[in-house]
Amino acid sequence: MAINWNTVTGPEVMVDSRKAKRNITRMIDKAQSAGVDLRPHFKTHQSPLLGKWFGPIEQTPIAVSSVPMARTFADAGWRDILIAIPLNPRQLPAYNRLAQELTLGLTIEHADALETIARIQHPVDVYVEVDAGYGRTGMNWRDPQNIYAVLEQAFNMPQVRHLGLLLHAGNSYSMRGTHGIAKIHEESLGRLAELLADCPIPRDALRVSVGDTPTCSRMDAFPGADEIRPGNYVFYDWQQQRIGACEWSDIALALACPVIARYPERDEVIIHGGAVHFSKDFVTVDGKPQYGQVMRITSDGWGGPIEGAFVHGLSQEHGKVKVPPALLKELKLGDLLVIVPAHSCLVMDASKGECTLIR
Amino acid sequence: MAINWNTVTGPEVMVDSRKAKRNITRMIDKAQSAGVDLRPHFKTHQSPLLGKWFGPIEQTPIAVSSVPMARTFADAGWRDILIAIPLNPRQLPAYNRLAQELTLGLTIEHADALETIARIQHPVDVYVEVDAGYGRTGMNWRDPQNIYAVLEQAFNMPQVRHLGLLLHAGNSYSMRGTHGIAKIHEESLGRLAELLADCPIPRDALRVSVGDTPTCSRMDAFPGADEIRPGNYVFYDWQQQRIGACEWSDIALALACPVIARYPERDEVIIHGGAVHFSKDFVTVDGKPQYGQVMRITSDGWGGPIEGAFVHGLSQEHGKVKVPPALLKELKLGDLLVIVPAHSCLVMDASKGECTLIR
């Protein structure tokens, strides 16, 4: 369906539903062929409306990264929610309420966290996070005895319904191309296999959850894993395109921003669209941060990238956009630029899940 | 009043109302001594509740940087609102509604924008933005004839109630110390004086609005200006402290974040508190980005900075915090860190104005 661009006042988050649904279907097919379950990470869109695209609400397990997000999706009807960020003891009352209502998964990375688990009055699933090289959170894969000790302690707790291992190979984000993604993938899953080889917990009593968008998009097999847990793939973004996790044509989210000033002498226009819309996340091109790539506008959305047209500066509400002279000459005050952001998860968070669906 | 830190689940924006009110009072006093009006920029806090601290709602002129913000404060009772970002023709219907309800100021930086002004059915104030060296928006001060032409055209339009010039010397943000801030201040106001010297519009028919937090905080005189328009000063932040626009003890906003993982071998803890709370704005220390400075917790808020304790990495919900070994040893899972962010405006935008008031 053709878009009526005249009704867009901007800045506005545009979601191409055809592309997003195609991305969702591809990942469902991928998981099925690989023989793993799929637990999409809903931190990317944070929208119950879009959440319905992933499958029947009551049968779709999901991951989130905060208690407020878990609350949002619990209230909207989801019944299997893993909070994939280390447990915060201050949230005990919220965990208790959620565990009463649904299948709640919690993530821990230290024996201390079991003190909080012990105070939950309903069964919960507990995932022990393993750091297989990313260096953010998780128990170090190099110290398997520590990990086994926590697993055994948890295994014997009456509150713990299912026990799991959780991995996030976020170091795949620093790679370029399928070869680099494969390297991280093999390294993490290799370390996981080592860990599982001597694990005192029976393998079939452990649920192993892995996943990040680059590896889940480009790899076909997930040996050792029971489920994959990617999130960003529903929209993708410029960072994923740079990593090599998607093509430009897969990106399902862009910001429509009106031109509010033109400076031909600086090869630049200013848009209404700033740090509060794009976030200040960026990709690095020729050593410099770029916050968004301008796309060709089409009657029903957007096409490919316009070479040399990108956001190179952001203040709170203003964006500075480099524009090739030929395009700049055509641009009038109030014309829209459609821009793929560096990081779509942060854009959706900034808009609190509000977006305009197209197609 | 002592804070009950036990009720904080975090991440939570904490506003020290005593400090914020002191910052507000100082700026009111400063404007009065300097003989200029004060139009606080409300983009920093975006909160009608905090807005009341600046003076009686109906008598306090304010600046905002978007139509939705103007709408929020219009609905809450403010009656003189300047939208200090170049006009967006797509917002004509919104401008019309606002202009009917209150004293609306609009900002333009090209003759083209007058076509939109001509279609507004109520009187509006029109500010022509001048770029006196910052290089973001505004008509170049080096081309005074262009500026005069737009001023004269606007002056003769029936919709235009008051005519103004608007300056934002955002280049003060790249300075360090009062001397550097003074340099930018004198340069911008010098260029403004040159512009005003040959201006065809009578001086008393022009309202001149200037202002940014560094110059308004550290300078005492604003020759050539009728009003100042700072925003960030209500809270200040780490960037302002680095610029030299405030002291640590002036900063009235911090994030309380629980520790969710500890890595003594990396001199690091992980907090719940990520890019969606801090924004990815940073200060550069020793060539590296830092997103927040950890402060000493006191019974009624926070004291000075803890040396060597700062946020050096952010993902969506996780923050990586470097912590000195002695402090790290004391920290337990769930302990709070109170952290001054790099940029308080973006933190308040991320929380949509939600914050916990202390003192």
Side-chain angles (χ1 to χ4, degrees):
Chain A
M1 205 176 70
I3 298 169
N4 182 1
W5 292 107
N6 291 333
T7 63
V8 178
T9 53
E12 204 163 302
V13 180
M14 316 291 284
V15 168
D16 185 320
S17 21
R18 202 158 66 184
K19 290 178 188 168
K21 286 175 181 171
R22 192 180 59 191
N23 294 337
I24 289 171
T25 305
R26 276 190 196 152
M27 198 60 81
I28 290 171
D29 294 347
K30 160 84 54 102
Q32 204 161 18
S33 331
V36 291
D37 294 331
L38 174 61
R39 179 188 292 276
H41 204 316
F42 275 17
K43 79 181 175 74
T44 299
H45 59 80
Q46 296 189 47
S47 156
L49 178 70
L50 271 61
K52 290 179 190 165
W53 295 353
F54 291 76
I57 294 183
E58 301 208 354
Q59 281 103 65
T60 305
I62 63 170
V64 298
S65 53
S66 73
V67 165
M69 273 186 230
R71 191 71 263 164
T72 297
F73 291 108
D75 291 346
W78 274 266
R79 283 295 158 262
D80 182 347
I81 302 181
L82 162 60
I83 305 181
I85 184 171
L87 173 151
N88 167 8
R90 292 173 177 264
Q91 291 286 17
L92 176 64
Y95 295 146
N96 250 320
R97 281 195 297 276
L98 287 161
Q100 185 172 22
E101 295 170 37
L102 48 84
T103 301
L104 179 68
L106 293 174
T107 304
I108 66 169
E109 55 72 71
H110 197 285
D112 288 1
L114 294 174
E115 295 167 23
T116 302
I117 302 286
R119 295 169 62 197
I120 297 182
Q121 285 142 15
H122 308 277
V124 286
D125 296 344
V126 171
Y127 289 78
V128 176
E129 185 173 1
V130 174
D131 179 2
Y134 177 32
R136 185 179 66 181
T137 39
M139 302 186 77
N140 198 323
W141 68 279
R142 287 190 178 85
D143 299 320
Q145 297 309 326
N146 282 344
I147 300 173
Y148 299 156
V150 172
L151 283 171
E152 284 190 300
Q153 248 188 288
F155 191 62
N156 294 313
M157 290 174 68
Q159 291 85 355
V160 179
R161 181 178 34 211
H162 295 116
L163 191 58
L165 281 178
L166 183 132
L167 257 85
H168 175 64
N171 38 345
S172 65
Y173 278 67
S174 59
M175 295 292 121
R176 291 288 169 276
T178 304
H179 184 75
I181 295 170
K183 193 173 155 275
I184 297 297
H185 187 60
E186 283 155 25
E187 183 183 273
S188 326
L189 294 192
R191 289 168 178 179
L192 175 67
E194 269 185 57
L195 189 68
L196 287 170
D198 295 319
C199 186
I201 309 294
R203 178 64 187 84
D204 60 3
L206 264 188
R207 181 158 192 81
V208 177
S209 176
V210 305
D212 54 278
T213 286
T215 62
C216 293
S217 299
R218 292 308 192 198
M219 301 296 107
D220 293 318
F222 305 88
D226 298 307
E227 71 175 25
I228 55 172
R229 209 178 64 250
N232 179 284
Y233 71 96
V234 54
F235 300 139
Y236 291 113
D237 52 34
W238 197 8
Q239 287 181 347
Q240 297 290 344
Q241 186 276 333
R242 295 273 294 178
I243 292 166
C246 72
E247 308 301 321
W248 281 112
S249 55
D250 297 324
I251 301 176
L253 180 146
L255 280 150
C257 300
V259 170
I260 56 173
R262 291 149 298 165
Y263 300 96
E265 67 281 15
R266 303 187 327 226
D267 296 323
E268 192 170 89
V269 301
I270 304 294
I271 51 171
H272 183 203
V276 298
H277 309 101
F278 283 87
S279 90
K280 290 199 91 167
D281 223 343
F282 55 83
V283 302
T284 306
V285 182
D286 300 331
K288 287 186 184 148
Q290 296 188 6
Y291 306 92
Q293 166 64 51
V294 182
M295 310 300 281
R296 276 185 295 102
I297 293 180
T298 61
S299 60
D300 60 352
W302 62 88
I306 298 175
E307 206 176 332
F310 54 87
V311 182
H312 70 103
L314 291 173
S315 39
Q316 182 167 344
E317 300 267 348
H318 300 70
K320 291 175 115 174
V321 188
K322 279 285 168 206
V323 174
L327 173 58
L328 206 152
K329 226 158 130 184
E330 285 171 19
L331 285 175
K332 294 185 304 299
L333 198 63
D335 280 357
L336 290 177
L337 293 181
V338 171
I339 303 173
V340 163
H343 191 171
S344 58
C345 306
L346 298 188
V347 169
M348 268 308 249
D349 184 86
S351 82
K352 300 293 166 215
E354 268 185 48
C355 60
T356 301
L357 301 182
I358 60 176
R359 296 211 291 187
Chain B
M1 206 176 70
I3 299 168
N4 182 1
W5 292 107
N6 291 332
T7 64
V8 178
T9 53
E12 203 164 303
V13 180
M14 316 290 285
V15 169
D16 185 321
S17 24
R18 201 159 64 184
K19 290 177 188 168
K21 286 176 181 170
R22 190 180 61 190
N23 294 338
I24 289 171
T25 305
R26 275 190 197 151
M27 198 60 82
I28 290 171
D29 294 347
K30 159 84 54 102
Q32 203 162 19
S33 331
V36 290
D37 295 331
L38 174 61
R39 180 188 290 276
H41 204 315
F42 275 18
K43 79 181 174 74
T44 300
H45 59 82
Q46 296 189 47
S47 156
L49 178 71
L50 271 61
K52 290 180 190 166
W53 295 352
F54 291 76
I57 294 183
E58 301 209 355
Q59 281 104 64
T60 306
I62 63 170
V64 297
S65 53
S66 73
V67 166
M69 274 186 229
R71 191 71 263 164
T72 297
F73 290 109
D75 291 346
W78 274 267
R79 283 296 158 262
D80 182 345
I81 302 180
L82 163 60
I83 305 181
I85 185 170
L87 173 150
N88 166 8
R90 292 174 176 262
Q91 291 286 18
L92 176 63
Y95 296 145
N96 249 320
R97 281 194 297 277
L98 286 161
Q100 185 172 20
E101 296 169 38
L102 48 83
T103 301
L104 179 68
L106 293 173
T107 304
I108 66 168
E109 55 73 71
H110 196 285
D112 287 0
L114 294 173
E115 294 167 25
T116 302
I117 301 285
R119 295 168 62 197
I120 297 182
Q121 284 143 13
H122 308 276
V124 286
D125 297 345
V126 171
Y127 289 77
V128 176
E129 184 173 0
V130 175
D131 179 2
Y134 177 31
R136 184 179 67 181
T137 40
M139 302 187 76
N140 198 323
W141 67 281
R142 287 191 178 85
D143 298 321
Q145 297 309 325
N146 281 345
I147 301 173
Y148 299 156
V150 172
L151 283 171
E152 285 190 300
Q153 247 188 289
F155 192 62
N156 293 314
M157 290 174 69
Q159 291 85 356
V160 179
R161 182 179 33 213
H162 295 116
L163 191 58
L165 282 179
L166 182 133
L167 257 85
H168 175 64
N171 38 346
S172 66
Y173 278 67
S174 59
M175 295 293 121
R176 290 288 171 273
T178 305
H179 185 76
I181 296 170
K183 194 173 154 272
I184 297 296
H185 186 61
E186 283 155 23
E187 183 183 273
S188 327
L189 294 191
R191 289 167 178 178
L192 174 69
E194 269 185 57
L195 188 69
L196 287 170
D198 294 319
C199 185
I201 309 294
R203 178 64 186 83
D204 59 5
L206 263 188
R207 180 156 192 84
V208 178
S209 177
V210 305
D212 54 278
T213 286
T215 62
C216 293
S217 298
R218 292 308 194 199
M219 303 294 108
D220 293 317
F222 305 88
D226 297 307
E227 72 175 24
I228 56 173
R229 210 180 63 250
N232 179 284
Y233 71 97
V234 53
F235 300 138
Y236 291 112
D237 53 33
W238 197 8
Q239 287 181 347
Q240 297 291 343
Q241 187 276 334
R242 295 272 294 177
I243 292 165
C246 71
E247 308 301 323
W248 281 112
S249 56
D250 297 325
I251 301 176
L253 180 146
L255 280 150
C257 300
V259 170
I260 56 172
R262 289 149 300 162
Y263 300 96
E265 67 281 14
R266 304 189 325 228
D267 295 324
E268 192 170 271
V269 300
I270 304 295
I271 51 171
H272 183 204
V276 297
H277 308 102
F278 282 87
S279 91
K280 288 200 91 165
D281 224 343
F282 56 83
V283 303
T284 305
V285 182
D286 300 331
K288 286 185 185 150
Q290 297 188 4
Y291 305 92
Q293 167 63 50
V294 182
M295 310 301 281
R296 276 185 295 103
I297 294 181
T298 61
S299 60
D300 61 350
W302 61 88
I306 298 175
E307 206 175 332
F310 54 87
V311 182
H312 71 103
L314 290 173
S315 40
Q316 184 167 343
E317 300 266 348
H318 301 69
K320 292 176 114 174
V321 188
K322 279 284 170 208
V323 174
L327 173 58
L328 205 152
K329 226 157 127 183
E330 287 171 20
L331 285 175
K332 293 184 303 299
L333 198 64
D335 279 358
L336 290 177
L337 293 181
V338 171
I339 304 174
V340 162
H343 191 172
S344 59
C345 307
L346 298 188
V347 169
M348 268 308 248
D349 183 85
S351 83
K352 300 292 166 217
E354 268 185 49
C355 59
T356 301
L357 301 181
I358 60 176
R359 297 210 289 187

